[in-house]
């Protein structure tokens, strides 16, 4: 069966509102799309009646004698019955490719395939780490593609991570041979195409930059490649997949129902990387982390943790970011007065606002040079909820905020 890309993702939602896991609706299946998916997944065309229908048989020797009749169009009276019978036969087929076809029909999806050149092993214990390495590296690649779709940066760190992970919630993994050599994922067009196009563009740019570095010994092509979506996250994902193998190949096939996105070929060329590319990719990743500048921000956050080594003096707090930066949490070092204000705001359930620089070191999870720490007034509904807490801690709140507040 098709499995989520990781344990946290949910099944595909049906665009029509049907429950996930139900099959495609025969009345909504385009015969041309069905034929394209059958051809893509290895089904063989065996003739038929010209202009009316084609006959397809499954790949390999699975279910020998089974065949599908697919109408050329819906112009004939029996086209609906033929499509319904074909879908039923696919649902009962033992061929893994049949499930791939049904997946492509149920939710229009772009398909990404990875091939990792590692020795075949008859041992299940040896194959398991290779399979997990392939799945982990492929997911990291898709995260990098989603980050590239969100914004260009040599190093994203924790920035936009929530957006990238949300973009992959509905990605599904196809049947796997279990040897760590091949993997196919289905990315719904409506929710995930930006991540796919971002990944494909970035992979080609990384390939060109690595070729340039190997030919000239210079790294400036990687600097320019940032504008095409290349980042430390992408180079790290490629390195993780290539390491321990003789090379990897990544290919994208667009959903037949949606067609190719603007600016991309109908059949994009696969992108390959080999162990010889590792030094350039590693150097580029380190360069991206080193050169990514800190970012001036003004954030609003709720205090979730406080710590200092003595009853008085400076301390550090952790904030859950509500606005001002696309990271989930930041750590901030505060002087004694600012620490006291943050503590009193926390006691009465108020967030605080402050300015500083979001440091790239540590993945943009630390705010330095913090200043202007003040409690934030909330809307009326939230204010009513906090009134009781505010009165119970009024003395502390006035000390923290001053009479003007």
């Amino acid at each position: 069966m098709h499995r989520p890309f990781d344990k946290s993702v949910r099944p595909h939602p049906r665009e029509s509102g049907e429950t996930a896991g139900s099959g495609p609706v025969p009345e909504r299946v385009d015969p041309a799309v069905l034929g394209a998916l059958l051809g893509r997944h290895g089904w063989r065309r065996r003739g038929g009646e010209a202009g009316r229908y084609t006959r397809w048989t499954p790949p390999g020797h699975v279910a020998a004698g089974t065949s599908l009749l697919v109408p050329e169009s819906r112009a004939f009276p029996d086209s609906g019955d033929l499509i319904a019978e074909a879908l039923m036969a696919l649902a009962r087929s033992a061929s893994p490719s049949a499930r791939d076809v049904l997946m492509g029909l149920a939710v229009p999806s772009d398909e990404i395939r990875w091939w990792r050149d590692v020795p075949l092993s008859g041992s299940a214990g040896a194959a398991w780490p290779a399979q997990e390495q392939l799945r982990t590296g492929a997911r990291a690649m898709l995260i990098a593609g989603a980050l590239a779709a969100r914004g260009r940066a040599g190093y994203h760190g924790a920035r936009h991570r929530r957006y990238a992970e949300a973009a992959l919630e509905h990605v599904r993994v196809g049947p796997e041979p279990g040897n760590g050599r091949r993997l196919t994922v289905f990315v719904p067009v409506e929710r995930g195409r930006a991540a796919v196009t971002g990944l494909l563009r970035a992979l080609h740019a990384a390939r060109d930059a690595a070729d340039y570095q190997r030919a000239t010994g210079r790294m400036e092509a990687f600097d320019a490649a940032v504008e095409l979506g290349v980042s430390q996250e992408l180079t790290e994902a490629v390195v993780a997949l290539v390491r321990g193998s003789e090379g990897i190949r990544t290919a994208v096939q667009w959903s037949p129902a949606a067609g190719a996105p603007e600016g991309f070929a109908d059949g994009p060329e696969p992108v390959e990387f080999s162990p010889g590319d590792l030094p350039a990719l590693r150097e580029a990743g380190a360069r991206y982390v080193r050169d990514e500048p800190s970012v001036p921000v003004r954030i609003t956050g709720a205090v979730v943790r406080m710590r200092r080594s003595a009853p008085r003096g400076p301390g550090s707090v952790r904030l859950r970011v509500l606005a001002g930066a696309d990271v989930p949490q930041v750590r901030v070092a505060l002087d004694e007065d600012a620490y006291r204000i943050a503590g009193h705001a926390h006691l009465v359930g108020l967030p605080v606002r402050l300015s500083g620089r979001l440091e790239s070191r540590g993945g943009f999870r630390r705010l330095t040079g913090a200043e202007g720490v003040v409690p934030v007034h909330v809307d009326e509904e939230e204010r009513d909820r906090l009134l009781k807490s505010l009165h119970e801690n009024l003395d502390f709140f006035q000390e923290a905020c001053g009479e003007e507040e």
Side-chain angles (χ1 to χ4, degrees):
M1 62 180 291
H2 290 274
R3 294 188 294 168
F5 208 44
D6 64 19
K7 295 180 181 179
S8 66
V9 300
R10 300 187 296 272
H12 269 316
R14 288 296 304 274
E15 294 177 345
S16 61
E18 296 175 56
T19 58
S22 58
V25 180
E27 292 77 12
R28 299 179 183 177
V29 171
D30 184 342
V33 172
L34 175 55
L37 287 170
L38 289 169
R40 171 179 296 182
H41 292 285
W43 287 64
R44 295 184 294 275
R45 188 169 178 166
R46 298 294 192 184
E49 185 175 336
R52 290 185 61 87
Y53 61 83
T54 54
R55 184 180 298 276
W56 297 82
T57 58
H61 301 287
V62 177
T66 299
S67 65
L68 309 177
L69 290 181
V70 179
E72 292 283 357
S73 71
R74 286 191 169 273
F76 304 101
D78 62 346
S79 60
D81 293 337
L82 290 177
I83 290 176
E85 291 171 3
L87 296 180
M88 184 177 296
L90 286 170
R92 295 174 176 175
S93 174
S95 172
S97 64
R99 294 188 287 277
D100 293 342
V101 173
L102 291 173
M103 175 70 72
L105 291 172
V107 180
S109 302
D110 297 322
E111 298 176 28
I112 308 178
R113 288 182 169 83
W114 284 269
W115 293 267
R116 189 164 179 264
D117 190 1
V118 294
L120 285 173
S121 173
S123 167
W128 177 256
Q131 185 177 359
E132 287 303 299
Q133 186 175 357
L134 178 55
R135 288 172 61 89
T136 301
R139 186 177 191 278
M141 260 198 197
L142 274 173
I143 288 285
L147 290 170
R150 181 70 173 185
R152 301 292 192 259
Y155 178 45
H156 295 274
R159 295 178 296 173
H160 311 304
R161 180 68 56 166
R162 289 176 293 189
Y163 163 84
E165 292 178 348
L168 303 183
E169 282 185 350
H170 300 279
V171 170
R172 303 290 290 184
V173 178
E176 305 165 23
N179 54 27
R181 293 173 63 91
R182 298 193 306 275
L183 180 69
T184 301
V185 302
F186 298 81
V187 186
V189 171
E190 183 179 3
R191 296 174 179 264
R193 173 155 281 188
V196 178
T197 56
L199 174 60
L200 184 60
R201 186 183 292 111
L203 283 174
H204 281 288
R207 176 68 271 163
D208 292 342
D211 289 339
Y212 181 84
Q213 192 280 336
R214 294 181 71 172
T216 66
R218 302 203 301 268
M219 294 293 295
E220 55 263 34
F222 277 103
D223 297 335
V226 171
E227 290 303 315
L228 295 173
V230 181
S231 63
Q232 185 270 346
E233 286 76 10
L234 180 72
T235 60
E236 183 177 56
V238 175
V239 167
L241 283 173
V242 173
R243 186 173 56 242
S245 76
E246 296 181 13
I248 64 166
R249 180 160 54 106
T250 308
V252 172
Q253 291 182 303
W254 308 117
S255 163
E262 185 177 357
F264 289 84
D266 290 337
E269 289 292 323
V271 187
E272 300 183 11
F273 292 92
S274 69
D277 299 314
L278 291 180
L281 292 169
R282 289 191 175 112
E283 183 178 351
R287 183 185 180 99
Y288 289 146
V289 174
R290 183 176 62 249
D291 294 346
E292 188 67 23
S294 59
V295 182
V297 292
R298 182 171 175 79
I299 67 172
T300 301
V303 178
V304 295
R305 181 172 298 178
M306 306 186 71
R307 176 179 297 175
R308 62 179 174 182
S309 57
R312 304 188 66 86
S316 65
V317 300
R318 181 180 297 176
L319 301 178
R320 178 170 57 86
V321 177
L322 305 175
D326 195 356
V327 295
Q329 294 187 351
V330 294
R331 295 189 300 272
V332 192
L334 299 175
D335 61 27
E336 182 174 3
D337 290 340
Y339 186 87
R340 185 175 66 253
I341 292 173
H344 293 158
H346 176 60
L347 285 175
V348 297
L350 292 178
V352 294
R353 181 175 294 134
L354 67 163
S355 301
R357 298 192 69 86
L358 200 59
E359 291 289 335
S360 60
R361 185 179 62 177
F364 294 96
R365 296 179 178 91
R366 181 182 295 113
L367 193 73
T368 61
E371 58 184 10
V373 180
V374 294
V376 176
H377 293 288
V378 295
D379 58 32
E380 292 298 329
E381 182 178 349
E382 186 71 7
R383 188 189 305 276
D384 291 341
R385 188 184 69 81
L386 294 171
L387 275 177
K388 182 178 179 181
S389 177
L390 176 61
H391 284 295
E392 290 174 351
N393 297 277
L394 185 59
D395 293 339
F396 297 106
F397 183 72
Q398 289 175 339
E399 178 187 353
C401 299
E403 294 182 359
E404 290 89 353
E405 295 295 319

